[in-house]
Structures are given as structure tokens and as C-alpha cells.
Amino acid sequence: MSPTPSSPAPLLYRHRHLLGIEGLTRPEIGSLLDLSESYIEPIRSKTKSALLVGRTVINLFFENSTRTRTSFELAAKRLGADVINMQVQASSIKKGETLLDTAMTLNAMHPDVLVVRHPDSGAVNLLSQKVDGAVINAGDGSHEHPTQALLDAVTIRRRRGRLEGQLVAICGDVLHSRVARSNIHLLTTMGARVRVIAPPTLLPAAIERLGVEAFTDMRKGLKDCDIVMMLRLQSERMHGSHVPSTREYFHFFGLDYGKLDAAKPDALIMHPGPMNRGVEIDSEVADDIDRSAIREQVEMGVAVRMACLDVLTRPLRSNAEA
Ligand code: NCD
């Protein structure tokens, strides 16, 4: 085990939980990004730290997840924590146990951090008010997914040097996307310009109030963009029909080389995963090693989650040391 790779830079994030990006300041976000970058090297060299030895992280997932759950699990293990994974919809919900009952049961086990994903917007916030440990929102309904926005920002910053001034297009099912909302808050706070591109049925009403420009035509919206962020068509959140057919959707809104032509020649392609190839993104574009940052996003996810676990457990660790 090696000593902690934590950045010596002063840490400006002082909240008890990480529930969303909305409301965070530019210095707070900047310091989380800096700390995340300091964890990239330890991930690549597979260095394990003892920072969270003796601490417990519970991954409480009320929705299916592969990459986010495993990413948090790996991050916690790399920091030496004990990790418990709870996939809930199959067990407690069926038995009629409520969100808060589950939270209270887990709270009695004294976890230091609870990483929570829930299909309802606001559920993670509610839970955070009832438990003693720190809570990280791993996605609540179509509300926020803060660690995804942070990992996207680290990816952009490493590829482009800065977030400020980047022209970013977020394309597809914006209406149901917590990834879009967290990214909009983060990117606009950090000085990037954000466009959203979607069919009118998948654009939230008055989205411009969040400081973005809205487009319903891919080529117009992608014109001169530096970053093209694609979103999954989230049928599990749709009540009724929002698109005529996936074929037609791909024709008008799927990212292929034809549409990508409108963006800057070196525009970076991103997707949070899981991808619907041939629906929101053409397979060749997704796998384009020169232009797609999709694999790097996954790698940065572990670094960001290590940084978040580090930050939120600092008060506990400093009490223990005192
Ligand atoms: C996203 C999510 O769950 O919100 N995926 C993820 O975290 N890897 C996006 C999505 O499900 O489309």
C-alpha cells in the first residue's frame, strides 16, 4: 500500500453530501476536478491506497446499473474501503419496504458513505436527510447524476486543456436525462457554451432558462461545436410515444459522419453509456479511435469517484486523527 495520492491543493468542496451539480460554485467544481485528475495516475499504475481502510461504502441501487455501480465499487476498493452492494428493486421494494425504511436499516450498519441510485427525482436528497453518513447521488430519476458530469468534465479538460469557451452540444433525449441536467449546470458554471439538440418532444419546456441554446435540427445545432455529447434514448422513462420509430430517430438525430461534418473537424465525441448503437449513434462513429472519448470517460469515472469518496470522508478522517 502506498500513501494517499490526494492532491495537496486546498480543497474547496465543503458539503456533507454530493447530491447534484446545481448550486455548486466554479471553485468547488474546479477543486473536485483537480483532485480527480490526481487519481488518474494511481488508477493506471493500479496503486492501492489505505485512505479508507476501516470505512464502509454501501452502494444502494434501486435501478439497474453496470458501469456506475462497478465504477464506484472499484473506486472504493482502490481506496481500501469495505464495499457492500445492494441492488434493491428485486428484494425490499417487492416486500413493500419503503425507501426510508431501507435507509434506516442501512444506517444502523453505520456506513460512512452511501452511494444511491433511485428512479425518482429527489429520492436521494430525501434519503440524505435521514442518514448519518455522506450520500453521493449516483443518479435520481431525470434530475441529476453529478459524478457523470464531473467525469465528462475531466475528460474534456484533459483533451482540450480547459472547459471555458468550449462549445458543447448535448444531443438526444434531453427530456429524460439526468446526465444532460448535471452537465448543463457544470458546463455553464465553468464557462462553456452549451447547446441542446433534440426533437421537440424530447426537449424540456423552457430549457433556455438553464442558460443553453436549444435546437431541433442536428446539423444546425452541431455547427462549429467542439464537443458532441450523445444521450441514450431512455425508453424506460417514457410514458407514451416520443419518437415515431428508432429508425426515423436515427435518420434525424442519430450521430453519423454526415451530421458530424457540421461540427469542428476535430470535435470530440462523447456518450455516457450504455449506447444504443444504430439508434442515437452510429457504431463506426462510436468506435472512431481518433475522435471518440467514450472509453476515456469510463476510465475517468473511477478517478472522479475516488476523489468524491476522498472528499466526503475528510471530516470523518480528520475527527479520527484529532
Ligand atoms: C446514464 C444514467 O444512468 O443516467 N448512464 C450511466 O450512468 N452510465 C445514462 C443512461 O442511462 O442513458
Side-chain angles (χ1 to χ4, degrees):
M1 297 230 180
S2 74
T4 162
S6 291
S7 153
L11 194 77
L12 300 168
Y13 189 90
R14 300 249 162 73
H15 305 272
R16 197 174 135 212
H17 308 295
L18 175 63
L19 300 174
I21 300 291
E22 187 177 10
L24 298 186
T25 63
R26 196 164 171 159
E28 283 173 336
I29 294 170
S31 79
L32 287 177
L33 300 179
D34 292 342
L35 185 63
S36 301
E37 287 207 33
S38 77
Y39 276 109
I40 297 170
E41 200 285 314
I43 288 173
R44 292 194 169 156
S45 61
K46 304 198 182 214
T47 317
K48 215 173 158 181
S49 134
L51 200 67
L52 296 191
V53 166
R55 304 278 169 199
T56 309
V57 175
I58 299 188
N59 282 326
L60 176 57
F61 278 62
F62 294 87
E63 246 185 25
N64 287 332
S65 161
T66 315
R67 82 186 61 206
T68 305
R69 212 258 305 130
T70 45
S71 176
F72 270 109
E73 183 175 352
L74 185 59
K77 286 183 171 164
R78 283 277 151 86
L79 293 172
D82 295 319
V83 187
I84 294 165
N85 292 314
M86 278 198 66
Q87 184 73 46
V88 185
Q89 81 266 45
S91 56
S92 295
I93 288 185
K94 270 204 186 139
K95 287 188 217 144
E97 197 169 296
T98 65
L99 166 70
L100 294 180
D101 284 336
T102 309
M104 293 324 292
T105 307
L106 294 178
N107 198 38
M109 299 177 197
H110 307 294
D112 298 292
V113 184
L114 272 163
V115 177
V116 188
R117 170 169 284 194
H118 197 280
D120 297 335
S121 305
V124 180
N125 194 326
L126 179 68
L127 185 142
S128 74
Q129 297 165 25
K130 307 284 175 191
V131 296
D132 302 316
V135 173
I136 302 180
N137 182 2
D140 64 324
S142 46
H143 177 226
E144 282 240 33
H145 190 354
T147 56
Q148 179 70 42
L150 290 166
L151 75 89
D152 289 339
V154 173
T155 308
I156 297 172
R157 228 172 62 158
R158 284 170 55 80
R159 289 280 191 123
R160 291 292 137 100
R162 61 211 309 250
L163 293 166
E164 195 169 9
Q166 299 289 327
L167 183 54
V168 184
I170 303 178
C171 320
D173 187 357
V174 181
L175 183 65
H176 301 101
S177 178
R178 51 199 175 203
V179 174
R181 243 163 291 270
S182 289
N183 262 305
I184 290 171
H185 292 306
L186 189 148
L187 292 165
T188 53
T189 304
M190 300 308 279
R193 286 167 55 208
V194 181
R195 293 177 177 173
V196 293
I197 314 174
T201 49
L202 293 176
L203 263 182
I207 184 86
E208 290 91 348
R209 279 198 217 142
L210 298 182
V212 303
E213 270 184 287
F215 292 80
T216 51
D217 179 281
M218 279 289 270
R219 277 172 219 275
K220 286 185 187 150
L222 287 177
K223 193 165 170 2
D224 299 327
C225 282
D226 299 290
I227 314 284
V228 184
M229 218 179 250
M230 300 307 298
L231 300 170
R232 183 173 64 89
L233 202 55
Q234 293 161 81
S235 2
E236 78 278 14
R237 296 191 204 291
M238 294 182 190
H239 305 287
S241 163
H242 288 70
V243 292
S245 73
T246 50
R247 263 182 78 151
E248 191 172 328
Y249 182 80
F250 181 74
H251 178 74
F252 288 107
F253 292 95
L255 187 67
D256 54 16
Y257 284 114
K259 298 182 195 79
L260 188 59
D261 233 19
K264 289 224 178 106
D266 63 346
L268 200 62
I269 301 156
M270 302 176 72
H271 192 304
M275 281 187 277
N276 292 311
R277 291 169 182 266
V279 179
E280 71 264 357
I281 190 162
D282 179 67
S283 236
E284 264 187 73
V285 174
D287 297 333
D288 186 329
I289 45 165
D290 297 320
R291 308 194 56 183
S292 163
I294 298 171
R295 279 176 58 184
E296 203 172 313
Q297 287 174 269
V298 178
E299 189 185 14
M300 294 308 125
V302 181
V304 161
R305 284 152 188 147
M306 287 172 83
C308 294
L309 291 169
D310 172 352
V311 167
L312 295 179
T313 53
R314 279 185 192 201
L316 304 173
R317 285 167 13 230
S318 61
N319 286 346
E321 277 157 23

